[in-house]
Amino acid sequence: MSGELRRLRAVERWVGWIRLVAVPFALFQVAISTYPGGSYELWAWVTTGIFTAGALVLFRLGRRDWTLAAQHRLGLAALGFDFAVVSAYVLIFNFEDASPIRQVMFLPLVEGALRYGIWGALAVVAASAPVMAVFEWLRQRHTEPHDYRLDYVTLQLGIEVLMGLIVGWLVWRLQGETGVAEERAGESERLRDQLGRRADTLEAANRCARALSSSLAVDQAFDAFIREVRGLLPFDRMAIVLSESGTAQVMAVAGAGADDVLPPGSGRPIHGTLLEELLRTNQTVYRKDMEGADFPEEEEFLELGLRSRLAAPLLQGARSIGMLSLVRREPEAFSQEEVELTTLLGRLVASAVQNIRAYEAERKTVEELRRLSAL
């Protein structure tokens, strides 16, 4: 539900309560008033009856959940009803010269400002001008020396204009501040959701890093790593490639062509490959579409039906030791959030990869020493 609709419903329900409170007050005032001859009293009671019935109907209607357009129509009808009732009271009680009956017109004026700001208040002033003119014409018939006082009319209308400007401006200012507060609350909600998503993402990335650190044996560690990554970042092919003495050495690979195209343990010169560019910039590289094969290994990926590629550096301090590569069959398959997540993942798993590489090097050294010892 929009903020404007909430505001209109709140105004309608509040005015509905005020209208109900005004009913017994109107009954009391009509009952204690002293009427001259004629049908003044009859019309006063008829107007009060209409006001009572209308107040009950509008109160019931104001409790319903209307659409924005219907709520606007209901508010306009309610304002017109209140203005008509107040105008009727003003004209009926024209015989009370000492009574401040004109000031009752301030009620629909404030209501108009509350609903529509300054323009609503000025519209009520314009509508009340003929009512005040007729009221003064009726009043002068009952009051000596029976002259028409134009200054009475202009004074009433002038005060209405000033009051409408003040109340309308306050309403607009309040609406503006409310809009700013709602916008800030919405922004706070979005930031909180974003922070929550980032916290979840960080936790998932940490799980992947812990999975890779769960064992120093490459096969076991990589199998655990794949299980975690598949649930976080779906892929058609994934590989961890390390830089060793000018060679792009494939540490582990899974997915399409894992046994045929750059299998685990294979290597090739690093010159001209995507890894070379990544080591130079230390920045994640996103190849939205490998069509055209800017790097030699991409020709093999295209033959496997793979189109988009995302490679994040494995940063050990400020230096890249390799890359984490994710490949998908569809072009432009990675979102910006997935790019950021892969970059974070590359930073987190770098230490685990370095530990595994060091362990593998020492294991091979130990095996070689055992072989030499046996000889």
Side-chain angles (χ1 to χ4, degrees):
M1 183 171 60
S2 66
E4 176 66 9
L5 182 56
R6 285 196 301 269
R7 185 188 71 83
L8 291 176
R9 286 180 180 177
V11 168
E12 196 60 52
R13 290 170 183 178
W14 176 241
V15 173
W17 280 111
I18 294 176
R19 203 179 283 114
L20 287 182
V21 172
V23 167
F25 176 70
L27 291 171
F28 175 74
Q29 288 297 127
V30 170
I32 65 172
S33 295
T34 302
Y35 301 91
S39 56
Y40 289 102
E41 185 174 4
L42 173 62
W43 283 112
W45 283 112
V46 168
T47 301
T48 304
I50 294 173
F51 175 54
T52 302
L56 293 173
V57 171
L58 290 173
F59 181 80
R60 293 292 299 275
L61 293 176
R63 309 303 294 177
R64 297 182 182 179
D65 293 332
W66 302 96
T67 63
L68 182 60
Q71 195 72 47
H72 274 297
R73 290 194 293 270
L74 176 61
L76 188 60
L79 178 59
F81 172 78
D82 293 338
F83 177 81
V85 169
V86 168
S87 298
Y89 276 129
V90 170
L91 296 177
I92 290 170
F93 286 90
N94 69 86
F95 59 86
E96 294 185 342
D97 181 57
S99 172
I101 189 63
R102 293 186 186 90
Q103 281 69 49
V104 179
M105 192 59 71
F106 293 154
L107 296 177
L109 173 71
V110 173
E111 182 182 346
L114 182 63
R115 292 183 184 276
Y116 306 109
I118 291 177
W119 300 118
L122 295 180
V124 173
V125 173
S128 69
V131 177
M132 292 297 103
V134 173
F135 172 82
E136 180 59 24
W137 176 72
L138 294 174
R139 185 205 62 80
Q140 57 91 21
R141 297 192 307 166
H142 298 281
T143 308
E144 296 290 345
H146 302 293
D147 56 341
Y148 189 91
R149 298 292 302 272
L150 182 61
D151 55 328
Y152 286 4
V153 178
T154 56
L155 177 62
Q156 173 71 19
L157 295 178
I159 293 175
E160 289 182 13
V161 169
L162 296 176
M163 180 178 291
L165 292 175
I166 294 172
V167 177
W169 181 83
L170 290 175
V171 170
W172 279 356
R173 179 67 181 272
L174 179 61
Q175 291 177 5
E177 294 295 332
T178 301
V180 171
E182 290 179 350
E183 182 179 350
R184 289 178 178 174
E187 181 66 21
S188 176
E189 187 73 19
R190 287 191 295 273
L191 289 175
R192 186 178 64 183
D193 293 342
Q194 184 178 3
L195 181 61
R197 287 194 299 270
R198 288 185 178 274
D200 294 340
T201 299
L202 181 60
E203 174 60 27
N206 279 324
R207 285 200 307 270
C208 295
R210 288 195 298 269
L212 193 60
S213 304
S214 61
S215 174
L216 291 176
V218 175
D219 293 340
Q220 295 178 6
F222 193 61
D223 287 344
F225 181 65
I226 288 176
R227 287 194 297 271
E228 291 292 340
V229 173
R230 281 194 188 278
L232 183 63
L233 279 169
F235 59 85
D236 293 304
R237 177 186 172 96
M238 180 177 69
I240 295 178
V241 184
L242 303 179
S243 172
E244 294 185 355
S245 303
T247 302
Q249 191 72 30
V250 180
M251 175 182 175
V253 62
D259 297 327
D260 303 319
V261 177
L262 296 173
S266 64
R268 64 177 53 181
I270 201 172
H271 179 69
T273 65
L274 177 63
L275 179 58
E276 182 184 35
E277 179 178 338
L278 188 142
L279 293 176
R280 178 173 53 82
T281 62
N282 284 345
Q283 299 293 324
T284 298
V285 177
Y286 177 22
R287 297 276 293 141
K288 295 183 178 180
D289 194 342
M290 292 185 288
E291 190 69 31
D294 291 349
F295 303 97
E297 68 272 17
E298 291 182 353
E299 295 180 359
E300 300 173 80
F301 292 157
L302 288 171
E303 291 177 1
L304 294 173
L306 304 172
R307 294 290 297 274
S308 58
R309 185 184 186 191
L310 181 60
L314 303 178
L315 289 175
Q316 189 73 29
R319 183 178 65 90
S320 295
I321 62 172
M323 71 177 180
L324 171 65
S325 174
L326 297 175
V327 190
R328 289 178 180 171
R329 298 188 184 278
E330 301 81 12
E332 300 185 21
F334 293 92
S335 66
Q336 183 60 37
E337 286 151 355
E338 289 176 323
V339 173
E340 294 175 0
L341 177 56
T342 304
T343 303
L344 174 62
L345 200 56
R347 293 176 180 274
L348 292 176
V349 304
S351 296
V353 169
Q354 183 72 357
N355 291 338
I356 293 173
R357 182 166 69 170
Y359 170 76
E360 284 294 311
E362 291 195 11
R363 185 180 63 80
K364 291 178 180 179
T365 300
V366 169
E367 289 179 355
E368 181 65 17
L369 289 174
R370 285 176 178 172
R371 188 182 68 83
L372 293 175
S373 177
L375 291 175

